[in-house]
Amino acid sequence: MTKTRKQFGQHWLRSEKALAKIVSSAELGEADRVLEIGPGTGILTRHLLAQAQAVVAVEIDRDLCQLLSKKLGQIDNFLLLQGDFLALDVDNLLEPFPAFQRPNKIVANIPYNITGPILEKLLGTIAHPNPILLESIVLLVQKEVALRLCARPNSTHFGALSVRVQYLAACEFICDVPAKAFQPPPKVDSAVIRLRPRAIAQPALNPRHLENLIKAGFSSKRKMLRNNLKSTIDPDLLTQILESLGINLQARAEDLSVEQWVELSNQVFSLKDLAVRSPAS
Ligand code: SAH
């Protein structure tokens, strides 16, 4: 067993069942170019190489890169990049390798401590969405995070992260993966998720405003939305807007769907604008 480095979140997946589930969720075909983040010892990489046209893997650990080059370096459709995925400009690095350019799918068992930054790099943010839409992103993540990413409104796991990510991608919970599926086992359970990035049908008029509204709205989970937004929006104006959108005045932040968050932001943004402009006009 290859030794592990804690600082890189290394837990080798050893369950064939989990591996099969990850690979089938990516629905790979001969035209797919996959980007894998953190190939580790290459267990998942081998499966991807068998089904995809090309696989680019980004691994931060120099020793693992040596091992991977020895193991997989001779395979035609494999390209290994050594470095921190968060810091690398992958598109730029792939320029000399036309066969590997523009990966359309991501498949990875990622280090859990950088899940947020990885998602942000892949999807962008509400204010700055990634203009290049990946076809799908299949990830093994901490179960708690998977539940939040895939939660529907009105459920306990639905929070600011759910709204921010679901604005940019459709999120599906695929399956649970127990801690014992890894060597060494992590302290938490895991899950496979699939994200399909999409251009939102009705984008926010002012995406920055929506981002701030979500942050303020979810600032205290136990409070009603109205109370969380008290300092941001005039309470009478907010009551009027909530009523016009058919949103219960007692609603909490987790009761609103992504579409309702967008509507709310759009209304507040345009009415605030009017309120500011009207005295002068
Ligand atoms: N995919 C392998 C390993 C998962 S462990 C398996 O399923 O067995 C997570 C892997 O991500 C490790 O190999 C670790 O070295 C690598 N890693 C950690 N931080 C990284 C980063 N910032 N960029 C690229 N790889 C990283």
Side-chain angles (χ1 to χ4, degrees), residues 136-260:
S136 68
I137 302 171
V138 174
L139 298 178
L140 191 50
V141 297
Q142 186 178 338
K143 182 173 177 181
E144 177 64 28
V145 175
L147 291 172
R148 283 162 57 199
L149 288 168
C150 304
R152 304 309 305 154
N154 284 311
S155 69
T156 45
H157 288 103
F158 194 73
L161 179 73
S162 328
V163 182
R164 287 204 313 265
V165 172
Q166 290 175 24
Y167 181 86
L168 301 165
C171 303
E172 281 171 85
F173 188 99
I174 304 283
C175 66
D176 285 295
V177 178
K180 66 177 195 299
F182 301 85
Q183 183 57 42
K187 289 201 181 76
V188 292
D189 280 328
S190 304
V192 180
I193 56 169
R194 177 170 55 205
L195 312 187
R196 295 190 197 275
R198 57 174 173 205
I200 185 140
Q202 280 171 324
L205 291 175
N206 183 323
R208 173 78 63 199
H209 182 270
L210 174 58
E211 270 181 351
N212 292 335
L213 190 73
I214 293 166
K215 199 167 168 197
F218 280 100
S219 54
S220 170
K221 261 222 137 187
R222 278 159 311 164
K223 282 193 197 161
M224 283 188 291
L225 177 66
R226 223 154 36 115
N227 288 335
N228 278 339
L229 295 180
K230 216 159 46 188
S231 56
T232 328
I233 306 163
D234 172 68
D236 292 337
L237 180 64
L238 182 62
T239 303
Q240 188 191 323
I241 293 173
L242 289 175
E243 277 174 350
S244 77
L245 294 176
I247 297 170
N248 190 324
L249 295 179
Q250 320 293 317
R252 289 170 201 281
E254 68 264 29
D255 298 329
L256 271 60
S257 66
V258 175
E259 293 73 22
Q260 283 176 316

Side-chain angles (χ1 to χ4, degrees), residues 8-13 38-40 58-60 64 84-85 109 111 114:
F8 293 145
Q10 295 175 347
H11 296 274
W12 314 136
L13 187 58
V58 180
E59 174 56 60
I60 198 168
L64 285 176
D84 175 356
F85 172 72
N109 167 17
I114 53 168

Side-chain angles (χ1 to χ4, degrees), residues 5 7-14 19 22 36-45 58-61 64 83-87 108-114 118 140 182:
R5 290 203 165 96
Q7 86 264 30
F8 293 145
Q10 295 175 347
H11 296 274
W12 314 136
L13 187 58
R14 54 173 198 165
L19 280 165
I22 294 173
E36 184 188 5
I37 306 158
T41 58
I43 188 160
L44 175 58
T45 322
V58 180
E59 174 56 60
I60 198 168
D61 186 321
L64 285 176
D84 175 356
F85 172 72
L86 297 175
N109 167 17
I110 58 175
Y112 295 169
N113 57 336
I114 53 168
I118 287 177
L140 191 50
F182 301 85

